[in-house]
Amino acid sequence: MILYGGDYEHTLEIRSVRHGLALDYRTLDRPELFARVLHRQPFAACEFSLSNYIMMRDRGADWLTAVPVFPARAFRHGTMLVRRDDPISCVADLSGRRVGIADYSMTAGVWARGIMAEDLGLHWSALRWFAPATPRFDPPVSAHVTPVDRDLEDALADGEIDALLAPRSRDLLLPQAARRFRPLLPDWQAAERRWFERTGIYPISHVVVLHQAEAERQAALPVAVVEAYQHAKQRARQRRLASTFLPWGEATWRDTMALFGEDPMPYGLCAANRAVIDRLQDYLMEQELTTRRWTFDELFRPC
């Protein structure tokens, strides 16, 4: 049975046989992962956007279910980029400005808009949004999203938009001196740490979804998938990946693991994960992307 997901340290040892099911893990880039689910292609399990999963269920996709495995998380205070020479110096300066986003419904955008409104004092309705003309879902009319037909990083560099909400920017892969953009918040890492210390929220980006029919046909599939992900993550923790390759990595590992209670990426419906999903659902509702709150029993299959 094929499980599709990202290429992470904590998924290296998913491939296994569990409860009589041979699980094969295949890595794909995020657009390919999401396309498998959005276009209802074959898969036993597939990593997918958490916000889009809830939105699909809200729009009647009862063929889809999920297990409480969350293979990707990220803080979002550092995702708003502006030009290096732009005098914009704080989030409030974005009011009325043109902001690009790769897809209005993406989980990174839902988190960033929620955090801006709740933590940084700027509501999403005060921004003029620009996004590609082929969205995953139609944005709410109240968001006033204008379609664009060119690369958003080029649009920002040329001054056609004033900021870009970009969790992964090509520009940030360049050497520091060659970069055209900078994070709007200069000390964004400190802001993210304060956010976590105050709220306990480490934003979930992705969840593992299943075809409902496949989960019913193979009753052991949900538990086998969860066990495989748990095993792979535990092996990554035992190897202390990310701590041995970089200078000062071991000290960073110890400090970070202590901050997150020795597991920054818990799986299952523990209290911490319930709080994160509750907060995301608050943001989805407030941003008019879903029509109601979904219970954990509705979203996640028993396993």
Side-chain angles (χ1 to χ4, degrees):
M1 311 203 73
I2 300 175
L3 282 57
Y4 293 98
D7 189 5
Y8 309 115
E9 296 169 335
H10 54 276
T11 59
L12 290 176
E13 296 191 24
I14 285 181
R15 188 175 288 111
S16 56
V17 176
R18 296 179 182 276
H19 300 276
L21 300 177
L23 304 179
D24 183 22
Y25 189 79
R26 298 187 187 177
T27 60
L28 295 174
D29 292 335
R30 293 186 180 193
E32 295 176 282
L33 285 175
F34 294 172
R36 297 201 77 83
V37 181
L38 292 167
H39 302 314
R40 202 167 175 172
Q41 296 174 7
F43 59 85
C46 189
E47 182 179 338
F48 189 53
S49 158
L50 178 57
S51 68
N52 286 177
Y53 167 61
I54 299 173
M55 291 173 65
M56 287 181 71
R57 293 297 307 275
D58 195 65
R59 287 156 175 75
D62 57 2
W63 62 272
L64 196 60
T65 187
V67 290
V69 171
F70 312 105
R73 301 180 185 234
F75 291 107
R76 299 302 179 186
H77 288 71
T79 56
M80 191 67 77
L81 305 178
V82 296
R83 290 181 297 278
R84 290 181 66 176
D85 59 353
D86 196 301
I88 291 176
S89 61
C90 64
V91 170
D93 290 344
L94 286 180
S95 183
R97 299 292 191 104
R98 303 162 298 176
V99 178
I101 186 170
D103 190 279
Y104 190 81
S105 72
M106 67 180 181
T107 308
V110 178
W111 279 116
R113 288 189 297 268
I115 291 167
M116 280 197 300
E118 182 179 18
D119 202 47
L120 303 174
L122 182 65
H123 195 263
W124 51 270
S125 62
L127 303 175
R128 297 161 58 196
W129 294 95
F130 291 77
T134 54
R136 300 174 196 165
F137 302 88
D138 290 334
V141 174
S142 56
H144 303 292
V145 179
T146 299
V148 293
D149 59 1
R150 66 170 308 196
D151 182 88
L152 288 171
E153 292 197 32
D154 291 341
L156 177 59
D158 294 343
E160 295 179 14
I161 56 177
D162 303 298
L164 175 61
L165 200 165
R168 291 171 302 282
S169 166
R170 299 190 309 276
D171 189 78
L172 294 180
L173 300 177
L174 299 175
Q176 184 72 35
R179 294 177 188 173
R180 301 175 293 176
F181 314 139
R182 61 176 172 84
L184 173 57
L185 297 180
D187 200 2
W188 52 272
Q189 288 180 313
E192 291 173 347
R193 186 180 182 110
R194 289 193 299 271
W195 158 266
F196 178 74
E197 290 173 340
R198 187 175 69 257
T199 66
I201 301 293
Y202 182 16
I204 293 171
S205 302
H206 298 170
V207 66
V208 174
V209 299
L210 315 174
H211 270 278
Q212 186 82 263
E214 190 67 20
E216 292 173 357
R217 187 177 70 84
Q218 298 282 359
L221 179 62
V223 67
V225 169
V226 171
E227 287 182 1
Y229 271 92
Q230 288 175 331
H231 169 79
K233 186 181 70 167
Q234 180 61 24
R235 289 289 296 126
R237 289 174 62 188
Q238 290 170 348
R239 289 193 304 270
R240 302 183 70 167
L241 291 182
S243 70
T244 57
F245 182 67
L246 297 178
W248 313 292
E250 187 173 353
T252 299
W253 173 281
R254 288 196 304 267
D255 293 344
T256 302
M257 293 298 278
L259 177 65
F260 287 92
E262 303 305 318
D263 188 358
M265 298 184 64
Y267 297 157
L269 294 177
C270 59
N273 284 340
R274 287 173 180 265
V276 175
I277 296 166
D278 280 340
R279 184 68 63 93
L280 181 63
Q281 290 215 70
D282 288 343
Y283 292 166
L284 285 167
M285 290 283 292
E286 196 279 329
Q287 294 171 32
E288 302 175 18
L289 292 169
T290 54
T291 59
R292 70 173 179 91
R293 296 184 68 86
W294 287 73
T295 68
F296 295 101
D297 287 342
E298 290 174 312
L299 292 175
F300 298 102
R301 193 168 184 88
C303 54

